[in-house]
Amino acid sequence: MKGVGLFRCIGLLLAFLLTIAAAACGGSSGGDNIVFVSDMDGDDEIYLLDPGDGETVKLTDNLSRDFDPRLSPDGRSVVYLSGEAGDLNVNLVDRDGETVTRLTHDPGAGVTPLWSPDGRRLAYVSQRDGNPEVYIMAADGSGKTRVTSNSNGDVIGDWSPDGEWLVLHRPQGEPEQGLLLRNPQGVNLVQLTSEQDSGAVWSPDGKSIAFVRSDGDNSDIYVVSMLKDGTWQDDTEVNRLTQDEAADHSPAWSSNSETIAFVSNRDGNAEIYTMRADGSNQRRLTRNDTDDVAPVWSDDGKRIAFVSYLFGAGELFIMDDDGERQRRVTNNSAEDHSPDW
């Protein structure tokens, strides 16, 4: 019996150590990797970065331009745009760079494809019918379905966290501008705003959408939210979060929906700021004489990756959510940009 007790203690100890190791390595949803674009080999290619040790894996390797990468929710695949076939098309590559799959064979798929929250579908734009329209397809490229039908050239903003809506915007100058919601099945159109609005991103809790409103001379960050106990098909509330004479743009939500990172030119050049979801407590996190742009949050909401031009060409940096411990994670003479965490 003493031997059984000893083995049980050893088993519990091993289980405890394995639990700690699993937590240290991250979950199964892709871990800590950042996908980005670099022209370090002469043209834009897709790379995967481990920010812990700076190791990069080259995922694409051709003589065409590959850009706008997005990691799948499980972290196992990357969808991106490629000009390898002549026209811009949507491609898929696994995280090892071993298998590349062309998902579309349409002319003019020139807008970033976006994963649905469950990773089963992709929203993208195609001109296969002569006009830019939004389509949905399965993650393997099958089941392509058109969900918009107009002459406005709708631009995809984001999926709702429950996968029930796509938020779109219409380009500046279109007669019916503003943000609108469309069900991925192509039904239920909801007009949210009617100004020069773009760059919409959904809060992880699904209750609000941050976006950028332009008036021709300036841009500020706004939020449109559901009313208490309401739905997106009911009345909504729009609030302005930034009110500076310089441009504020590129909002990005933290995982708990309590903080928004954004870019502002209010101090003479582009810097990274954060603010609470109601626009209060606006804090400058980067302080350089060159531009810092494109903030993206880690899954745990504790760190922010961004692009800095501190050393000339764009490089990827990481910092804590309060701006502390800023460090450079790419180091080359190429242009590194478009991070997705």
Side-chain angles (χ1 to χ4, degrees), residues 33-36 40 45-50 54-60 93-98:
N33 292 302
I34 299 173
V35 67
F36 69 102
M40 65 179 76
E45 302 285 0
I46 310 298
Y47 291 80
L48 192 70
L49 167 73
D50 183 338
E55 181 180 350
T56 59
V57 176
K58 188 177 182 180
L59 301 185
T60 64
V93 62
D94 62 62
R95 60 177 296 141
D96 298 319
E98 297 294 331

Side-chain angles (χ1 to χ4, degrees), residues 3-274:
V4 173
L6 177 61
F7 281 118
R8 183 172 182 272
C9 289
I10 293 174
L12 290 172
L13 177 61
L14 287 173
F16 175 69
L17 292 174
L18 287 172
T19 300
I20 293 175
C25 293
S28 60
S29 63
D32 209 28
N33 292 302
I34 299 173
V35 67
F36 69 102
V37 178
S38 179
D39 63 359
M40 65 179 76
D41 74 345
D43 65 287
D44 282 347
E45 302 285 0
I46 310 298
Y47 291 80
L48 192 70
L49 167 73
D50 183 338
D53 58 18
E55 181 180 350
T56 59
V57 176
K58 188 177 182 180
L59 301 185
T60 64
D61 189 6
N62 53 65
L63 299 178
S64 66
R65 183 186 179 207
D66 300 316
F67 61 104
D68 277 357
R70 292 293 183 273
L71 272 167
S72 61
D74 64 8
R76 297 178 181 177
S77 303
V78 178
V79 68
Y80 63 98
L81 290 177
S82 178
E84 187 174 9
D87 288 320
L88 287 177
N89 276 280
V90 179
N91 281 11
L92 185 74
V93 62
D94 62 62
R95 60 177 296 141
D96 298 319
E98 297 294 331
T99 303
V100 176
T101 305
R102 182 177 172 185
L103 300 183
T104 64
H105 295 75
D106 310 331
V111 178
T112 305
L114 295 179
W115 292 96
S116 63
D118 61 8
R120 297 180 180 179
R121 296 172 293 172
L122 288 161
Y124 68 105
V125 171
S126 174
Q127 297 189 51
R128 62 189 301 176
D129 296 314
N131 187 64
E133 301 288 357
V134 177
Y135 290 77
I136 301 292
M137 63 179 166
D140 63 1
S142 63
K144 295 178 176 66
T145 303
R146 180 174 169 177
V147 299
T148 63
S149 181
N150 55 67
S151 60
N152 293 307
D154 296 333
V155 179
I156 306 169
D158 201 5
W159 287 82
S160 63
D162 60 7
E164 292 297 317
W165 296 101
L166 287 167
V167 59
L168 316 172
H169 80 266
R170 289 170 178 166
Q172 182 176 339
E174 295 289 351
E176 298 177 359
Q177 60 189 6
L179 302 183
L180 58 142
L181 302 183
R182 189 72 166 178
N183 182 276
Q185 280 70 47
V187 296
N188 295 334
L189 182 68
V190 178
Q191 188 80 32
L192 290 181
T193 68
S194 57
E195 305 295 327
Q196 293 180 22
D197 302 330
S198 61
V201 286
W202 227 297
S203 63
D205 64 11
K207 298 178 180 179
S208 301
I209 301 171
F211 63 95
V212 177
R213 175 166 291 178
S214 303
D215 63 6
D217 298 321
N218 193 21
S219 61
D220 281 290
I221 296 173
Y222 286 69
V223 164
V224 56
S225 305
M226 288 189 297
L227 298 179
K228 185 178 181 180
D229 299 324
T231 72
W232 286 108
Q233 292 173 287
D234 300 324
D235 290 336
T236 55
E237 181 180 31
V238 177
N239 288 302
R240 182 177 179 177
L241 303 188
T242 64
Q243 302 189 37
D244 199 89
E245 295 181 356
D248 299 316
H249 55 91
S250 305
W253 291 93
S254 64
S255 56
N256 61 8
S257 301
E258 295 178 358
T259 306
I260 299 173
F262 65 102
V263 177
S264 179
N265 289 68
R266 63 186 64 178
D267 294 301
N269 61 287
E271 302 285 357
I272 309 295
Y273 288 73
T274 57

Side-chain angles (χ1 to χ4, degrees), residues 266-341:
R266 63 186 64 178
D267 294 301
N269 61 287
E271 302 285 357
I272 309 295
Y273 288 73
T274 57
M275 61 182 166
R276 292 176 181 165
D278 62 2
S280 64
N281 195 30
Q282 297 186 20
R283 302 176 58 193
R284 180 178 174 181
L285 302 189
T286 60
R287 296 181 179 276
N288 299 311
D289 293 329
T290 55
D291 289 343
D292 300 312
V293 297
V296 290
W297 292 85
S298 60
D299 287 343
D300 61 10
K302 295 180 179 179
R303 290 169 294 167
I304 299 172
F306 62 99
V307 176
S308 179
Y309 292 87
L310 182 60
F311 297 101
E315 299 282 2
L316 266 59
F317 280 64
I318 291 176
M319 61 183 166
D320 292 346
D321 61 351
D322 58 2
E324 297 297 319
R325 297 197 301 172
Q326 297 185 20
R327 61 187 179 95
R328 182 181 182 183
V329 291
T330 63
N331 190 350
N332 54 66
S333 60
E335 187 74 26
D336 301 331
H337 58 92
S338 305
D340 184 50
W341 205 329

